């Protein structure tokens, strides 16, 4: 069921009204204090480079062709179109051509793919096989700053606004670190378990929830949402657990592009609805509206990030409803579900 313009606009109107009377609204207005050298640097920025935009456009086109991932033939996709997905991602993160995952001292990184010169059938090598286990993967929020061994840790560190920082948090935020900067932590759920996550059967934004997108597709019944978030411009210290573990999201100095799988309450799914969250065997949560109800929410919370004040280029692709909101700054809701 499509959302009405009024329903979509209401959360933003309420937030704008609240912000107008909040002391934080005055504290975070540091634009006039921005040094000229930082302003000059901001003038050189573009929201997305051409390779990043090409990858983002491709994901949008992919989602239009497959509005529900249960329509995808995994074997056919991995043997054919997955190469296009992988190549565009490699180029978006800075490689001229294909890239492969290399593990060193237990840490995975992408490196340029260079097939052996003597390999007669080099063209037939599936260099993009690193995408195979990442087809439908998602990330959930651990209660602590670590994950069980079978669920690898993925994290993003955001260098938030330095001047008059107005970050905030409340309630249950799990293993998230929120002070003058923000570190989001997620546990990677493999494709098989991820397909157990589906929409709740009740309609309305309060029944929405979202998980981190860590694969080529989202589980059945979800739609993809991206947050393009501009972090602190000057001496930026953004970091992440590494591009192989954050795919398809991209964390670079100044900008963080984060993809989510958003489940609308009552949305159709080829695999049916979900009456209870899957049991993973450890305390964790998801992104959800402040009004996300029991029995699904065992606890609720939120994190507000004060993003860059000067020449802010934040935007959304897709609509996060009430699970996440924000224009120049970013608010994300959380709910503990196990």
């Amino acid at each position: 069921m499509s959302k009405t313009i009024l329903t979509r606009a209401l959360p933003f109107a309420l937030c704008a009204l609240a912000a107008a009377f909040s002391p934080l609204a005055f504290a975070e207005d540091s634009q006039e204090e921005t040094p000229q050298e930082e302003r000059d640097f901001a003038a050189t920025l573009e929201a997305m480079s051409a390779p990043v935009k090409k990858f983002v456009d491709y994901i949008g086109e992919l989602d239009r062709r497959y509005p529900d991932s249960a329509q995808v033939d995994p074997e056919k996709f991995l043997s054919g179109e997955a190469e296009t997905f992988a190549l565009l991602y490699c180029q978006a993160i800075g490689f001229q051509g294909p890239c492969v995952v290399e593990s060193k001292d237990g840490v995975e990184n992408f490196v340029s793919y260079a097939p052996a010169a003597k390999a007669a059938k080099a063209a037939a090598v599936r260099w993009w096989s690193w995408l195979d286990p990442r087809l439908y993967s998602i990330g959930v929020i651990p209660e602590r700053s670590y994950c069980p061994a079978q669920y690898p840790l993925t994290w993003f560190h955001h260098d938030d606004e330095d001047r008059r920082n107005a970050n905030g948090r409340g309630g249950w935020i799990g293993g998230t670190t929120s002070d003058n900067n923000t570190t989001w932590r997620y546990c990677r759920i493999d494709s098989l378990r991820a397909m157990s996550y589906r929409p709740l059967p009740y309609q309305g934004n309060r029944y929405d929830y979202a998980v981190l997108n860590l694969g080529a597709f989202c589980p059945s019944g979800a739609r993809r949402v991206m947050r393009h978030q501009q972090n602190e411009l000057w001496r930026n210290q953004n970091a992440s657990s590494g591009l192989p573990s954050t795919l398809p999201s991209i964390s670079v100095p100044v900008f963080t592009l984060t993809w989510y799988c958003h489940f609308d309450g009552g949305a159709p799914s080829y695999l049916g609805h979900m009456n209870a969250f899957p049991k993973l065997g450890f305390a964790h949560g998801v992104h959800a509206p402040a009004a996300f109800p029991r029995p699904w929410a065992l606890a609720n919370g939120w994190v507000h990030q004060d993003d860059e004040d000067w020449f802010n280029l934040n935007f959304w692709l897709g609509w996060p409803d009430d699970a996440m909101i924000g224009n120049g700054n970013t608010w994300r809701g959380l709910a503990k579900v196990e």
Side-chain angles (χ1 to χ4, degrees):
M1 180 178 293
S2 62
K3 309 286 183 181
T4 65
I5 295 177
L6 178 61
T7 302
R8 288 182 169 185
L10 184 57
F12 289 94
L14 293 175
C15 287
L17 185 62
F21 294 95
S22 169
L24 294 180
F26 298 98
E28 67 186 12
D29 186 14
S30 65
Q31 292 192 43
E32 298 308 316
E33 300 173 10
T34 304
Q36 187 60 47
E37 56 187 348
E38 187 172 336
R39 299 185 187 201
D40 292 342
F41 174 67
T44 68
L45 297 175
E46 56 180 350
M48 288 190 288
S49 66
V52 171
K53 185 177 187 305
K54 191 173 182 179
F55 176 67
V56 170
D57 289 345
Y58 170 75
I59 284 190
E61 190 270 334
L62 191 67
D63 289 345
R64 283 189 289 275
R65 283 192 285 121
Y66 299 107
D68 191 298
S69 63
Q71 298 171 291
V72 178
D73 181 332
E75 186 174 337
K76 183 177 179 180
F77 179 82
L78 289 171
S79 64
E81 193 170 358
E83 182 177 9
T84 299
F85 185 105
L87 180 60
L88 290 175
Y89 187 69
C90 291
Q91 293 172 341
I93 61 178
F95 292 93
Q96 295 300 311
C99 61
V100 293
V101 176
E102 183 179 83
S103 182
K104 185 176 181 179
D105 299 327
V107 178
E108 290 186 331
N109 287 295
F110 277 119
V111 297
S112 181
Y113 172 61
K118 295 182 179 180
K121 297 182 179 180
V125 174
R126 294 182 69 254
W127 60 266
W128 62 93
S129 60
W130 47 263
L131 194 57
D132 293 8
R134 296 174 168 89
L135 196 57
Y136 301 106
S137 291
I138 61 170
V140 298
I141 303 160
E143 183 157 55
R144 308 298 180 190
S145 60
Y146 53 85
C147 300
Q150 67 269 40
Y151 304 115
L153 178 67
T154 294
W155 55 268
F156 300 90
H157 176 74
H158 295 243
D159 185 352
D160 298 324
E161 173 63 46
D162 288 343
R163 295 175 184 82
R164 302 196 197 184
N165 182 277
N167 280 1
R169 78 290 307 163
W172 187 88
I173 65 171
T176 309
T177 298
S178 172
D179 42 43
N180 282 355
N181 298 305
T182 308
T183 302
W184 291 100
R185 296 181 176 89
Y186 301 89
C187 297
R188 173 186 289 277
I189 309 304
D190 62 67
S191 292
L192 183 60
R193 291 184 179 91
M195 292 304 286
S196 296
Y197 288 80
R198 298 192 294 277
L200 291 171
Y202 303 101
Q203 294 186 356
N205 288 356
R206 68 192 298 246
Y207 298 104
D208 292 3
Y209 74 94
V211 294
L212 185 67
N213 178 203
L214 289 175
F217 296 97
C218 285
S220 177
R223 57 184 176 84
R224 233 176 320 219
V225 173
M226 189 197 78
R227 177 56 164 169
H228 182 282
Q229 196 166 349
Q230 183 166 330
N231 307 118
E232 171 62 35
L233 288 176
W234 204 239
R235 298 184 178 89
N236 183 280
Q237 297 181 28
N238 278 4
S240 72
S241 53
L243 291 166
S245 69
T246 61
L247 176 145
S249 297
I250 301 173
S251 177
V252 295
V254 181
F255 295 117
T256 308
L257 286 72
T258 318
W259 292 93
Y260 302 92
C261 297
H262 183 99
F263 295 85
D264 290 302
S269 165
Y270 274 56
L271 301 181
H273 290 133
M274 179 186 74
N275 291 305
F277 279 93
K279 297 299 182 184
L280 301 177
F282 70 101
H284 70 276
V286 298
H287 290 292
F292 194 64
R294 290 182 176 273
W296 301 282
L298 307 179
N300 300 85
W302 57 274
V303 171
H304 172 268
Q305 288 180 250
D306 184 359
D307 300 326
E308 173 60 41
D309 288 347
W310 180 261
F311 197 60
N312 185 284
L313 296 173
N314 282 359
F315 64 86
W316 297 96
L317 287 181
W319 197 258
D321 289 339
D322 299 344
M324 307 176 200
I325 55 178
N327 291 318
N329 298 309
T330 309
W331 181 98
R332 293 177 175 90
L334 300 91
K336 181 179 178 180
V337 297
E338 182 178 0

